[in-house]
C-alpha cells in the first residue's frame, strides 16, 4: 500500500493543490467540468507539466517519466487497444515490463474480474461493462502503487454503473490499492469514497469524509456543487450562549450551533429539511411555515421549493412520501431544521478531514 | 429482407467476362466488325501467348519488368515507411521535412523521367529510380497519416503501463497505423506497374513496356493485348496480395477502429 502526497501543485489547470491520499483509501475527487480533476490525475501520472511536488511513500517522483511512475490509470474512454485481444490488453503492462509469471497473473486478473471467458475476444466485440472490466484489469495488472480512475462509469447506464461501483470497491478492497477516483457524480462519491475532495476552478476547496463534505460544505462553491443545498445569507446574528447563535435569514429566525462569533452564511442540505403538512409538535424554534411554490420530480425524489418570508428553501422528499402528503404548489407546509444539519459557512479555506 | 451473399454468387462475377469473351470471339471470327483486322479473337491471343511463352520472349521481358517493380517498389516503400515513421513520430522531423517533400509530392512520377534519363542514362537504375519515387511519396504520407491518426490516449495508456517510447511505437502506434499503411501499399503497387510500363515504352529496351512498343511498330495487336492482359493481372495480383496481408494482420480488429 502506498501513500501519495501532492504539495503545491500548479499548472494550467491546478492552483496550489495540496493533498494527501492515505494508504489503501479511495479518495473521490468531485467537481464540475473544467475543475482540474483530470489534470490532477495527469499530474500524478506525469502526463502534463506542473510545478510542485508529487511523492509516493515520501519519495519525490517529479523527475520520473510516466512509464517509470508505476501508476495504474483508467481513462474515461477506457482506451482499450483495439488491435490486442482481451488477454493481451491485460498483459500489456506486464509484457512491456518483461514481468515474470505473466500468464499466471493475467489468469488471476481475468478470474478476479470475471472475464476469463473473454480472453481471446477483441475490444470491439465487448459490451460496455465487459470493456470496463478489461480496462480495470489492465490498469491493475502491473501492481501499480496508485490507481487513478477518471470517471470510469460515465459511459454506463444507471443500473450497470451501480453494480460497477460495488465491483470497483470490492476489487480495491481485495487489492488494498490506494485509489484516486475522479467523478462528478455525487452518488458515486457517497457510495465509494473513504474521503471526498471537491475541486472548483483548479482549487481544492474541501477534503473530508463524505458526511463532512455533504452536510457541512466548507464554502458556497462546495455547497453549490453538492447541492441542491440551501445557502442562506444572514442579515443579523446574536450569540445565545452554550454554543448557539440566533441568525436572521430573509426575515426568518433560525438557531444555529456555533461558537465562533458572528455568522454570515449558513447552509442546509435539501435532503435534511423535514417537511410536514401538520404543525410540528414543540415550540416554533427552527420550525418555519411557508407555501410550496414548485414541485419538481427527479429520479426517486421530489424537490419542493418552499417560500418562507423572503427566502426560498429547497427540500427533497421521497417521491412516494410526496404523493402521500399531496405536496403541490400552493399548499401550506411546515419545515423543521434540525441543529445537526445546519452548517455555518466560515470562509474560503480548505477543510481537511 | 436482405439476402446474405453466397459462394455461388462469386460465379456471377466471371459470367459477364466469359460472355464478353464469347461475343468478342464470335464477332471477330465472323468478321462482323469492319475493323476485324485490328481486333483478333481471344483464341488467337491465347495462341500468341503460348508462342511468346514457348519462345521465352514473354518470360524474359516479364521478369525484367517484375524485377524492376519489385526492387523499386520494395526500396521506395521501405524508405517511405521509415521516413514516415520518423516524421509521424517526431514533430521536429515533420516540421523540417514536410515543406520539402510537399514540394516534390505533386510531381507526377513520369515527370521525373527526363531528369532521371540525364542522371542515370538508359540503364536498369532508371526505371528502378522512377518506381522508387512513385512508391516513396504515397507510402510516406500514408504512414504519417496513420501514425498521427492514432488517438493520443492509447499512447498515454501505454506509457502509464510502463512502455518506453520505442515500445509505444512498436506495440501501439505502428500496429494501429497499419490500415493506413496498407492503403498506401495497395495504391502504390498499381502505380508501380503503370510507371514501369510507361518508362519501358519510352526509354528502356527491355520489359513488357518495350515489348508493347515493338508490337505496336509491327502492328501485332495480339501481342499488345497479351501485354495489356499481363499488366492487368499483375496490378490485380499485387493489390490482392496486400489486401490478403492486410486482412491477415488487421482483419480481426480494424473494422472496429
Amino acid at each position: 500500500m502506498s501513500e501519495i502526497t501532492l504539495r503545491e501543485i500548479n499548472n494550467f489547470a491546478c492552483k496550489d493543490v495540496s493533498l494527501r491520499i492515505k494508504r489503501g483509501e479511495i479518495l473521490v475527487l468531485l467537481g464540475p467540468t473544467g475543475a482540474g480533476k483530470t489534470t490532477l490525475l495527469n499530474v500524478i501520472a506525469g502526463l502534463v507539466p506542473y510545478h510542485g511536488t508529487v511523492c509516493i511513500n515520501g519519495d519525490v517522483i517529479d523527475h520520473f517519466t510516466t512509464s517509470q511512475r508505476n501508476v495504474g490509470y483508467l481513462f474515461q474512454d477506457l482506451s482499450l487497444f483495439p488491435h490486442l485481444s482481451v488477454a493481451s490488453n491485460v498483459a500489456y503492462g506486464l509484457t512491456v515490463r518483461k514481468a515474470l509469471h505473466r500468464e499466471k497473473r493475467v489468469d488471476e486478473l481475468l478470474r478476479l474480474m470475471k472475464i476469463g471467458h473473454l480472453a481471446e475476444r477483441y475490444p470491439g466485440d465487448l459490451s460496455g461493462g465487459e470493456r470496463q472490466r478489461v480496462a480495470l484489469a489492465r490498469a491493475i495488472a502491473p501492481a501499480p502503487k496508485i490507481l487513478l480512475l477518471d470517471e470510469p462509469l460515465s459511459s454506463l447506464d444507471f443500473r450497470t454503473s451501480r453494480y460497477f461501483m460495488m465491483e470497483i470497491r470490492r476489487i480495491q478492497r481485495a487489492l488494498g490499492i490506494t485509489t484516486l477516483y475522479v467523478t462528478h457524480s455525487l452518488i458515486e462519491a457517497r457510495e465509494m469514497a473513504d474521503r471526498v475532495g471537491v475541486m472548483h476552478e483548479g482549487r481544492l476547496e474541501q477534503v473530508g469524509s463524505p458526511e463532512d463534505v455533504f452536510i457541512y460544505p466548507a464554502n458556497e462553491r462546495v455547497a453549490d456543487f453538492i447541492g441542491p443545498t440551501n445557502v442562506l445569507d444572514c442579515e443579523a446574528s446574536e450569540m445565545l450562549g452554550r454554543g448557539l447563535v440566533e441568525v436572521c435569514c430573509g426575515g426568518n429566525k433560525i438557531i444555529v450551533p456555533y461558537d465562533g462569533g458572528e455568522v454570515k452564511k449558513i447552509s442546509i442540505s435539501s435532503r435534511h429539511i423535514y417537511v410536514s403538512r401538520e404543525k410540528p409538535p414543540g415550540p416554533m424554534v427552527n420550525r418555519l411555515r411557508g407555501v410550496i411554490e414548485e414541485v419538481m420530480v427527479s429520479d426517486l425524489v421530489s424537490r419542493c421549493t418552499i417560500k418562507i418570508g423572503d427566502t426560498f428553501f429547497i427540500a427533497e422528499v421521497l417521491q412516494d412520501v410526496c404523493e402521500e402528503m399531496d405536496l403541490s404548489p400552493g399548499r401550506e407546509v411546515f419545515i423543521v431544521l434540525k441543529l445537526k444539519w445546519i452548517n455555518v459557512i466560515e470562509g474560503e479555506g480548505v477543510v481537511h478531514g | 429482407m436482405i439476402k446474405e451473399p453466397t459462394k455461388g454468387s462469386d460465379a456471377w462475377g466471371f459470367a459477364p467476362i466469359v460472355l464478353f469473351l464469347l461475343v468478342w470471339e464470335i464477332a471477330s471470327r465472323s468478321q462482323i466488325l469492319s475493323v476485324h483486322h485490328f481486333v483478333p479473337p481471344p483464341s488467337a491471343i491465347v495462341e500468341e501467348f503460348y508462342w511468346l511463352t514457348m519462345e521465352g520472349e514473354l518470360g524474359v521481358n516479364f521478369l525484367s519488368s517484375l524485377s524492376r517493380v519489385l526492387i523499386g517498389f520494395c526500396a521506395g516503400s521501405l524508405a517511405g515507411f521509415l521516413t514516415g515513421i520518423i516524421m509521424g513520430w517526431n514533430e521536429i522531423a515533420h516540421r523540417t521535412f514536410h515543406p520539402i517533400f510537399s514540394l516534390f509530392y505533386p510531381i507526377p512520377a513520369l515527370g521525373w523521367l527526363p531528369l532521371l534519363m540525364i542522371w542515370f542514362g538508359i540503364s536498369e537504375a532508371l526505371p528502378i529510380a522512377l518506381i522508387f519515387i512513385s512508391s516513396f511519396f504515397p507510402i510516406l504520407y500514408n504512414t504519417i497519416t496513420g501514425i498521427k491518426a492514432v488517438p493520443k490516449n492509447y499512447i498515454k495508456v501505454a506509457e502509464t503501463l510502463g512502455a518506453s517510447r520505442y515500445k509505444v511505437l512498436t506495440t501501439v502506434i505502428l500496429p494501429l497505423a497499419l490500415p493506413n499503411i496498407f492503403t498506401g501499399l495497395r495504391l502504390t503497387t498499381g502505380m508501380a506497374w503503370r510507371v514501369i510500363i510507361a518508362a519501358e515504352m519510352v526509354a528502356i529496351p527491355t520489359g513488357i513496356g518495350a515489348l508493347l512498343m515493338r508490337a505496336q511498330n509491327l502492328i501485332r495487336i495480339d501481342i499488345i493485348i497479351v501485354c495489356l492482359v499481363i499488366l492487368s493481372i499483375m496490378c490485380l495480383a499485387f493489390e490482392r496480395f496486400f489486401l490478403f496481408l492486410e486482412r491477415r494482420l488487421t482483419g480481426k480488429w480494424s473494422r472496429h477502429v
Side-chain angles (χ1 to χ4, degrees):
Chain A
M1 284 196 211
S2 305
E3 181 180 271
I4 317 302
T5 312
L6 308 178
R7 279 192 222 111
E8 293 173 11
I9 301 297
N10 281 285
N11 67 3
F12 56 91
C14 297
K15 293 169 190 161
D16 280 328
V17 175
S18 294
L19 176 65
R20 188 166 64 90
I21 310 162
K22 297 172 191 168
R23 290 171 200 277
E25 79 167 343
I26 292 190
L27 193 146
V28 174
L29 211 48
L30 274 173
T33 307
K37 309 182 296 290
T38 300
T39 304
L40 199 62
L41 295 190
N42 289 337
V43 163
I44 296 171
L47 290 168
V48 291
Y50 63 90
H51 297 287
T53 308
V54 180
C55 300
I56 296 184
N57 291 333
D59 299 325
V60 176
I61 59 162
D62 299 325
H63 55 288
F64 287 175
T65 62
T66 299
S67 57
Q68 293 167 334
R69 292 193 176 202
N70 196 14
V71 298
Y73 198 149
L74 187 62
F75 285 74
Q76 189 175 359
D77 65 356
L78 305 181
S79 297
L80 289 175
F81 300 129
H83 61 295
L84 298 180
S85 68
V86 165
S88 301
N89 259 285
V90 175
Y92 186 85
L94 303 168
T95 309
V96 294
R97 288 164 196 258
K98 295 180 179 150
L100 297 172
H101 313 301
R102 269 171 272 183
E103 284 181 13
K104 190 177 165 221
R105 173 80 175 146
V106 171
D107 282 347
E108 275 171 14
L109 284 166
L110 293 179
R111 267 204 308 278
L112 179 72
M113 298 290 172
K114 302 169 187 167
I115 47 173
H117 59 293
L118 304 174
E120 298 308 316
R121 298 255 285 269
Y122 281 80
D125 298 323
L126 304 177
S127 69
E130 289 166 344
R131 292 164 62 82
Q132 208 81 25
R133 287 169 188 277
V134 178
L136 187 56
R138 182 181 64 177
I140 60 180
K145 289 178 176 166
I146 181 169
L147 183 60
L148 308 172
L149 306 175
D150 187 9
E151 302 195 25
L153 309 179
S154 59
S155 60
L156 298 178
D157 61 78
F158 182 70
R159 225 179 124 95
T160 317
S161 68
R162 294 285 294 206
Y163 173 70
F164 263 96
M165 273 184 241
M166 288 189 286
E167 281 291 279
I168 290 175
R169 193 76 183 141
R170 173 181 72 85
I171 291 156
Q172 192 269 342
R173 285 274 179 265
L175 301 174
I177 187 170
T178 309
T179 302
L180 185 55
Y181 185 111
V182 159
T183 181
H184 52 245
S185 159
L186 302 177
I187 297 172
E188 285 172 38
R190 278 201 192 100
E191 302 261 330
M192 301 191 64
D194 291 317
R195 286 191 304 148
V196 173
V198 182
M199 283 190 81
H200 184 265
E201 291 183 355
R203 292 189 189 282
L204 191 59
E205 299 286 354
Q206 186 176 4
V207 183
S209 68
E211 191 181 64
D212 276 346
V213 173
F214 288 116
I215 299 170
Y216 309 114
N219 56 42
E220 209 169 339
R221 291 182 292 279
V222 178
D224 264 357
F225 181 75
I226 61 165
T229 296
N230 299 281
V231 178
L232 308 173
D233 290 315
C234 308
E235 297 112 33
S237 71
E238 184 188 339
M239 297 283 290
L240 300 177
R242 296 186 301 276
L244 294 175
V245 177
E246 185 181 70
V247 297
C248 184
C249 306
N252 303 301
K253 287 198 168 16
I254 300 169
I255 293 176
V256 301
Y258 192 60
D259 52 10
E262 193 185 2
V263 176
K264 290 188 174 167
K265 210 170 260 185
I266 60 170
S267 71
I268 310 157
S269 164
S270 58
R271 292 190 305 136
H272 296 119
I273 292 181
Y274 176 72
V275 182
S276 165
R277 289 278 306 276
E278 308 295 329
K279 186 183 171 196
M284 287 296 278
V285 176
N286 283 9
R287 287 154 172 76
L288 307 171
R289 181 162 55 188
V291 175
I292 295 177
E293 287 278 316
E294 190 180 32
V295 179
M296 283 178 70
V297 179
S298 68
D299 294 335
L300 296 171
V301 296
S302 295
R303 201 165 288 163
C304 303
T305 307
I306 302 162
K307 190 178 182 201
I308 301 171
D310 297 333
T311 309
F312 289 94
F313 284 80
I314 295 171
E316 279 184 5
V317 183
L318 285 173
Q319 209 176 315
D320 49 351
V321 175
C322 181
E323 282 170 15
E324 201 177 296
M325 289 166 64
D326 192 21
L327 298 180
S328 55
R331 286 262 184 226
E332 188 182 80
V333 288
F334 293 87
I335 65 167
V336 178
L337 310 174
K338 288 188 178 176
L339 284 179
K340 183 182 172 184
W341 306 124
I342 302 173
N343 173 50
V344 175
I345 296 178
E346 288 182 319
E348 303 298 302
V350 178
V351 178
H352 281 273
Chain B
M1 194 173 140
I2 299 165
K3 278 189 177 176
E4 286 284 319
T6 59
K7 274 195 172 179
S9 65
D10 290 346
W12 286 106
F14 290 104
I17 297 172
V18 173
L19 190 69
F20 169 71
L21 291 174
L22 206 64
V23 171
W24 178 4
E25 181 77 28
I26 293 165
S28 187
R29 284 198 180 279
S30 59
Q31 301 185 356
I32 296 168
L33 300 171
S34 59
V35 289
H36 60 88
H37 294 298
F38 297 116
V39 188
S43 55
I45 293 165
V46 172
E47 195 181 336
E48 189 53 38
F49 172 78
Y50 174 77
W51 287 115
L52 280 172
T53 311
M54 285 296 110
E55 286 162 9
E57 194 173 357
L58 190 62
V60 168
N61 285 296
F62 172 71
L63 286 177
S64 295
S65 296
L66 181 66
S67 60
R68 288 165 190 155
V69 166
L70 284 178
I71 295 169
F73 176 73
C74 290
S77 300
L78 188 66
F81 177 63
L82 294 175
T83 315
I85 290 173
I86 295 167
M87 287 175 66
W89 188 223
N90 187 305
E91 198 49 40
I92 296 170
H94 187 257
R95 283 188 194 169
T96 308
F97 293 114
H98 175 66
I100 301 166
F101 287 139
S102 59
L103 278 177
F104 294 120
Y105 184 39
I107 300 172
L110 287 173
W112 291 92
L113 190 59
L115 192 64
L116 294 177
M117 282 173 77
I118 294 168
W119 283 350
F120 295 111
I122 305 299
S123 68
E124 279 300 307
L126 173 62
I128 289 172
L130 211 54
I131 294 170
F132 179 96
I133 292 169
S134 73
S135 308
F136 176 80
F137 287 109
I139 301 292
L140 170 75
Y141 279 103
N142 274 280
T143 305
I144 293 172
T145 307
I147 288 176
K148 287 196 176 290
V150 173
K152 294 284 173 282
N153 269 5
Y154 290 141
I155 298 168
K156 290 180 184 173
V157 167
E159 284 177 352
T160 60
L161 290 167
S164 61
R165 271 176 70 82
Y166 173 74
K167 281 281 180 193
V168 171
L169 180 69
T170 54
T171 59
V172 176
I173 293 177
L174 289 181
L176 289 174
L178 275 181
N180 265 299
I181 294 168
F182 271 110
T183 303
L185 285 169
R186 278 190 280 117
L187 289 172
T188 308
T189 182
M191 178 75 78
W193 277 99
R194 282 187 281 275
V195 167
I196 191 68
I197 296 299
E200 287 169 349
M201 285 169 74
V202 176
I204 312 292
T206 57
I208 296 289
L211 184 62
L212 259 174
M213 284 311 288
R214 284 200 296 277
Q216 189 258 340
N217 278 332
L218 297 167
I219 320 176
R220 288 294 302 275
I221 313 291
D222 46 358
I223 297 177
I224 292 174
I225 294 175
V226 166
C227 292
L228 292 180
V229 169
I230 287 172
L231 174 66
S232 167
I233 290 171
M234 289 316 292
C235 283
L236 207 64
F238 269 57
E239 196 190 319
R240 285 295 162 119
F241 169 71
F242 284 114
L243 198 61
F244 165 77
L245 211 59
E246 183 180 357
R247 283 183 181 158
R248 284 297 296 268
L249 292 173
T250 71
K252 284 182 180 170
W253 54 270
S254 60
R255 68 202 151 95
H256 295 298
V257 177

